[in-house]
Structure formats: C-alpha cells, structure tokens
Amino acid sequence: MRWILIFYFSMTTLFSQNYPQDYFQAPLDIPLQLSGNFGELRPNHFHAGFDFKTQQREGLKVYAAAAGYVSRIKIATNGYGKAIYISHPNGYTTVYGHLQKAVGAIEAKIQALQYAEQSFAVEAYFKPGELPVEKGECIAISGNTGGSDGPHLHFEFRDSQTEKIINPLYFGLQIKDTKAPTITNLMVYPIGTNSVVNESKRPVLLSLSLQADGTYLAQKVKAMGTIGFAINAYDRDDVSFNNNGTYFTQLSHNGNPIFEVIFDQMPFDEARYVNAFIDYERYKKSHQRFQKLFFNNPYAWSNMRNVTKGGKIEVTPNFTAISRIDVVDFNGNKTRIDIPIEYANTPAKIDDGVVKTPYLIKCSTDAVLEKENVSVYFPAQTFYEDFYLQFEVKNGELQLHHDLVPAHIPFTVTFQADSIPTALLSKTYIATVNGSKLTYNTTKREDSTLSLRTRTLGKFKLATDVLPPKVVWYKPAKNKDWSASNSLNITLLDEQSGVAKVNGYLNNQWVLFEYEPKLNRITHVFEDRFLLDGTNNLKIEVIDNVGNSTIFESSFNRTKKK
C-alpha cells in the first residue's frame, strides 16, 4: 500500500509540473482564504473552482490573473451572477464569478450590451484584441450576485480548447495546509438481496478507534454476500477555518486499490454525477454527504480511477481480510482507516426497509406511467439505480415518489388540463408542491396539454396565476430633492409564478435596472444622460412567468450635477 501511495504522489507531482507554476497571480490582493475548493460536494454538482473569502464584504478589487483578453461575459440572476472569462495565450481561461460589477472598458461593454438588448441578463463572446487585459489589471469589484449565499469571489481555471475545469492547486495557487483530512463517519453497505452486514440488511455505521500511529481502526465487519463502503469526510487548511472537499480517496483491499477518486480536472457535463457518488437519500434526510466508494451500475464519471468490480467486495465462507481507506490532500497529508472483515453466516435482524410498489423502475429501460389526467415518461438512464416508485394521482395532485432518488437526465410530466377554462390556460403551469408552497416550473403548453421537463421527483399539480406582480417604492416625501442620491432601489413582489422580466424607463427612455432575486429588489444607478433638472418621470414594467404584468408610474425631483 505504501508504494502505491508514493507512486501516486510522484505521478501527481509530475502531472502538476505540466501546468505553469508562476504564470498566474492571485485574483485578490488580500491573504487568500477558501470558503469552497475544487471538487467540493455541492447540491447537484461538484464545485468547479475556488471560492475565495472577501472579508465578509463586497467591494474588493479583482485582478486579472494573467495577460489575455476577455473572451466571454455573462450576466445572469442565477449561477455565477456577473461573470468575466479571460482567455490567456498559454491555452487556459480564468473565470471570475459573483462580481458586483466590472470596471473600465469591460463595464462599458457590459452596459452597451444591456442597453442594446434592453435586458439586464446578457451573454456575449469576444475575439482576441477586442477587450485585452494585462496581468494584475483590475477588471472588476467583488460581490454577491447570482446563486451566491454570501460575498465571495468564485475563481476557476479551464482548458480553453476542451473547457475542462482544472484544480487551481495545479497552477501554484496553494493555501498553507499541514492538516490531514478528517473522516467523520464510515458506513458499510450490504449490496443485493442476499447480503447481510452485522446482522442488518441496511447500511451500518461503523465505529472508529484512533491508534497510536495516528491511523484509525474500524469496528469489525461481519458479513456475507457483497458489501461496499462510504465515508463522510472533509479537509481543512491552516488558514481558512472551514470544512472543504477532499482531494484524493483510495479504497484498497488486501493491498490492492479497487476504487479511487481524484479531483484533478473535470468536464462540466459530469458535474451532476455528484448525485451518484453520494448516498443521495441519506443526504436528503440528514444533510450528510457520504461518498460511496462503490457502484452497482457503472456511470461515466472520469474522476474515478483504478476501479475493480465497482469497488465492491465479495464476502464468502472462510473469508478474512483487511480493507483500507486513505484520504490524502494535495500536500500529502493523509488519514487512514483499516477495516477488518470476516465472513459470518448470521441471519439479519434488520430488514432492508424497501417498500415494494407496482412500479419497479429499471434504470436501463424507458418507462411510461399513466393515471387519470397525468402521464410521466422516464427515458432510459434517467436514474442511477433500479427502485420501486410511488406513483399516485389524487384530487388533481401527482405524488411522484419523493425527492430521495436523484435523476441524472430530465424526465417529462404531462397534465391534461381539460378542466381549466380556455381563457386561463395561458396563466396555468405545473407547480411543484411543498406543503402549502407552490413553486413555478417552466411549462410547455399545446392546447390543453401542459408538460414540463424536470430532474426532481416529488409532488406536482396544476396552478393558475392571475395576479400581477407588485411594485413597492419606499421613496422619500413627494417634492423632496433627490440630488444627493445616486440610485433607486425598488422592491418587486410576486408570490406565485415569479418575476420574468423588468423594464424601467426614466423620462420615456429605457434605463437599466439590475434585478437581485435574493432581495426581491431592482436597482438603477443614476446617469446624467437620462436625468432632467426638476421633475423626473419614472415608469416600471414588471412581467411574471405566465405573462401577468404591472405598470408602476411615479416621479421624483432631482437637480443635475453641475
């Protein structure tokens, strides 16, 4: 085992030397701390880069990591929010996300695009020479836009040709780290109907004992049949003080590796395999992400290496062996667990807990289910495993299992809406039901047939939204001069299908309002070219996802700056 790990880290060193070590600088000029690292387990995806802390605030300068040109700009209310992509002559692209705003020529280009398209959300690609940048040039201000839960900078490296994302550690952007990864829990799984582990047909949590040499010894596994292991683990560095993802994990059996995972690089279209890698049901119930070091059905995730028999171990009569799990960070800090296993022909005292229904979904084949006015179509390979599905329609509500089984590709849910008056069909959508809350889903309409494509199981029903959005402006008293203010902040409320588009006008001219869904707020930063001395007329048009609209009109006083 020792020579396997030494060989691995020798190869890692050689591999990292293929990447430039001094070419790129850090994108921030503060001491670097991580709030998220490459490959970290996130909802429905592996994290694509580093999240750098920004001292719990917005407004820090963001610098180009190397010379190149802005090859892409994307402004959105979700995802990376305001994002800039810089392509470099050495074949790599750096990405900067959740920005508050760009600066200089880049910000001017963004605003030109937004005004040309009369839209806050824009995306554009550029050729070399259009928006050049120098190494260390300030390109933006850090923020909290898009799907960000707090101020930080998302930063990543991509191969410009393949667009594979690459671990930033390979480019020399290292954080001091002398701490070994932490394995908080170890689980053993009986796999298949005839397998038993420690008198259970359900997964068993194993206790861990710290040994004198710093390794851990797991509780003995007494089993028969096929078994697999999963760990709950994280890694910390010396300066970030929060739990990040692990880098390299190896499961070996009798000294031979049978399952490895390494977060070196990753194609974007494989990010959703996080749901196959973790025990998804346990995560949804307990918010703990156990990393499964085995699989029943192979899946095409390229970060798995040296997989033998799917990482599963067959325990037969007279079987006695030691399995081992090593979790190692980029700097070679390592945590090890030894797991003794022996055969035991002991009946299970705990059953598998599987509830059988008439609907056995096989992941390798298509499936169509129909009941009353509802049909569901699952294409082959929608799911990672076969399972018994709960399928029921009652009082117009579809119960499509629970969100405890992950779907890899979209499936289709269709409702026949014959009972909905024709005049209301355009305002009707298929909603996800969570208690009393209804969540809008993009719905396709063909006459009275409504359908959606989704990757989430749960409850669904038809919902009709005839209420227009609300616009709330807590402005100062009428006639108060607004010359000292540099922006307008206006609240938008839509409790049903949600806001789809906003148009703002000052003195009959379209002006940019930035929309921040997290705050239900739109913001316009004043520009003298749109302002009049004295009374200024304001008009806001808000359209929701089913076409209901509100027009809000008001005015304010402002004296233009001399």
Side-chain angles (χ1 to χ4, degrees):
M1 173 57 64
R2 183 172 179 272
W3 73 266
I4 292 173
L5 287 172
I6 291 174
F7 173 76
Y8 167 75
F9 281 106
S10 296
M11 292 303 293
T12 298
T13 301
L14 290 172
F15 182 58
S16 65
Q17 288 175 349
N18 291 328
Y19 293 96
Q21 298 299 293
D22 300 313
Y23 189 89
F24 296 98
Q25 72 165 59
L28 298 170
D29 59 4
I30 60 173
L32 298 181
Q33 291 182 301
L34 295 177
S35 60
N37 65 348
F38 184 84
E40 188 171 278
L41 311 179
R42 297 283 180 88
N44 296 316
H45 69 285
F46 296 103
H47 190 233
F50 277 178
D51 282 346
F52 287 121
K53 296 181 180 182
T54 55
Q55 300 175 336
Q56 300 181 331
R57 62 190 176 97
E58 301 182 39
L60 301 185
K61 291 182 178 180
V62 177
Y63 301 95
Y69 70 97
V70 175
S71 54
R72 180 186 180 192
I73 289 171
K74 185 173 183 180
I75 310 298
T77 57
N78 57 6
Y80 291 168
K82 297 183 180 182
I84 296 171
Y85 300 69
I86 298 178
S87 292
H88 307 282
N90 63 348
Y92 299 104
T93 295
T94 49
V95 183
Y96 312 76
H98 306 304
L99 304 170
Q100 182 188 93
K101 63 179 181 179
V103 299
I106 304 173
E107 179 66 14
K109 176 62 71 172
I110 291 172
Q111 290 204 16
L113 290 168
Q114 291 171 320
Y115 274 91
E117 298 182 23
Q118 293 194 352
S119 173
F120 167 66
V122 293
E123 183 174 16
Y125 294 83
F126 305 94
K127 297 178 181 180
E130 290 188 73
L131 284 173
V133 296
E134 296 298 325
K135 182 176 183 177
E137 178 182 341
C138 180
I139 59 168
I141 302 300
S142 70
N144 184 32
T145 56
S148 170
D149 293 328
H152 72 280
L153 173 69
H154 175 85
F155 178 69
E156 66 184 61
F157 287 92
R158 300 185 184 183
D159 183 298
S160 298
Q161 287 192 331
T162 67
E163 289 205 337
K164 282 187 177 181
I165 43 179
I166 304 166
N167 194 326
L169 292 172
Y170 286 115
F171 294 90
L173 291 182
Q174 296 189 37
I175 308 287
K176 184 180 180 182
D177 183 3
T178 61
K179 297 180 179 180
T182 298
I183 302 175
T184 57
N185 299 108
L186 170 65
M187 192 82 72
V188 58
Y189 290 69
I191 302 170
T193 57
N194 298 319
S195 298
V196 179
V197 170
N198 292 9
E199 301 182 345
S200 175
K201 285 183 170 291
R202 302 187 192 187
V204 175
L205 193 66
L206 300 174
S207 61
L208 302 174
S209 299
L210 180 63
Q211 305 299 292
D213 62 356
T215 65
Y216 289 87
L217 179 65
Q219 172 188 349
K220 181 179 287 187
V221 175
K222 298 180 179 181
M224 61 178 176
T226 306
I227 65 173
F229 293 101
I231 59 170
N232 187 11
Y234 64 85
D235 194 21
R236 281 189 171 187
D237 58 54
D238 292 6
V239 297
S240 299
F241 312 113
N242 58 289
N243 300 338
N244 291 315
T246 54
Y247 171 67
F248 174 72
T249 301
Q250 180 187 74
L251 169 65
S252 58
H253 185 63
N254 286 335
N256 299 308
I258 62 171
F259 196 100
E260 294 177 349
V261 173
I262 181 171
F263 288 102
D264 50 3
Q265 58 181 3
M266 187 166 45
F268 262 98
D269 59 4
E270 296 181 10
R272 196 172 177 87
Y273 281 125
V274 67
N275 291 335
F277 180 49
I278 65 172
D279 183 334
Y280 187 84
E281 180 175 353
R282 191 171 300 274
Y283 161 64
K284 297 299 287 189
K285 289 180 176 179
S286 69
H287 301 291
Q288 293 181 315
R289 292 184 174 96
F290 276 81
Q291 304 169 42
K292 295 190 297 183
L293 307 181
F294 67 92
F295 55 69
N296 281 322
N297 298 312
Y299 56 98
W301 182 38
S302 57
N303 292 80
M304 295 186 294
R305 315 283 167 81
N306 293 325
V307 178
T308 302
K309 296 182 179 179
K312 296 177 289 188
I313 298 168
E314 198 71 33
V315 183
T316 56
N318 302 316
F319 180 100
T320 301
I322 296 287
S323 289
R324 177 176 292 175
I325 297 174
D326 289 282
V327 182
V328 193
D329 67 21
F330 188 83
N331 292 325
N333 303 303
K334 179 178 69 173
T335 298
R336 190 184 89 195
I337 299 176
D338 291 313
I339 312 166
I341 308 170
E342 68 177 33
Y343 176 79
N345 186 9
T346 307
K349 295 180 179 179
I350 302 174
D351 65 22
D352 59 17
V354 174
V355 177
K356 295 185 178 181
T357 74
Y359 310 101
L360 175 60
I361 304 299
K362 293 185 175 293
C363 61
S364 60
T365 59
D366 294 356
V368 178
L369 306 176
E370 296 180 339
K371 186 172 287 188
E372 297 183 12
N373 66 323
V374 177
S375 65
V376 181
Y377 170 57
F378 297 120
Q381 309 305 325
T382 296
F383 303 104
Y384 305 112
E385 304 279 353
D386 301 345
F387 71 104
Y388 286 97
L389 175 85
Q390 182 181 349
F391 175 65
E392 187 60 62
V393 179
K394 187 176 182 180
N395 298 325
E397 184 172 284
L398 166 64
Q399 176 71 65
L400 191 60
H401 209 69
H402 307 277
D403 185 20
L404 300 176
V405 177
H408 189 69
I409 61 175
F411 57 89
T412 303
V413 176
T414 302
F415 279 74
Q416 294 297 327
D418 298 326
S419 62
I420 304 294
T422 302
L424 294 179
L425 279 174
S426 64
K427 308 297 184 184
T428 302
Y429 60 95
I430 301 174
T432 298
V433 182
N434 186 3
S436 61
K437 181 182 179 182
L438 300 181
T439 301
Y440 173 80
N441 294 300
T442 301
T443 302
K444 180 180 179 182
R445 300 175 186 85
E446 292 185 4
D447 298 325
S448 61
T449 300
L450 278 64
S451 62
L452 73 85
R453 285 167 56 80
T454 182
R455 290 190 284 196
T456 305
L457 297 171
K459 291 183 180 181
F460 302 89
K461 67 181 292 185
L462 294 178
T464 301
D465 178 7
V466 295
L467 299 177
K470 296 179 181 179
V471 179
V472 182
W473 185 24
Y474 303 101
K475 67 172 184 173
K478 191 175 182 180
N479 299 324
K480 179 177 179 179
D481 188 85
W482 266 35
S483 301
S485 301
N486 61 10
S487 64
L488 292 175
N489 290 312
I490 296 175
T491 299
L492 303 184
L493 300 174
D494 192 286
E495 298 177 356
Q496 294 193 34
S497 62
V499 173
K501 185 172 177 59
V502 177
N503 286 310
Y505 302 88
L506 267 181
N507 303 315
N508 298 317
Q509 298 184 78
W510 189 92
V511 295
L512 175 65
F513 274 86
E514 297 193 4
Y515 178 39
E516 180 50 83
K518 293 193 295 284
L519 302 175
N520 295 318
R521 186 182 70 193
I522 56 174
T523 300
H524 169 69
V525 177
F526 288 131
E527 295 183 60
D528 282 349
R529 57 181 171 145
F530 299 118
L531 293 169
L532 300 175
D533 273 323
T535 301
N536 287 263
N537 295 315
L538 171 68
K539 178 181 175 181
I540 305 291
E541 179 188 28
V542 186
I543 305 169
D544 69 17
N545 279 298
V546 295
N548 299 308
S549 64
T550 293
I551 293 179
F552 171 86
E553 294 184 277
S554 188
S555 63
F556 60 91
N557 296 326
R558 182 177 170 89
T559 302
K560 292 181 68 174
K561 296 177 181 179
K562 301 298 184 182

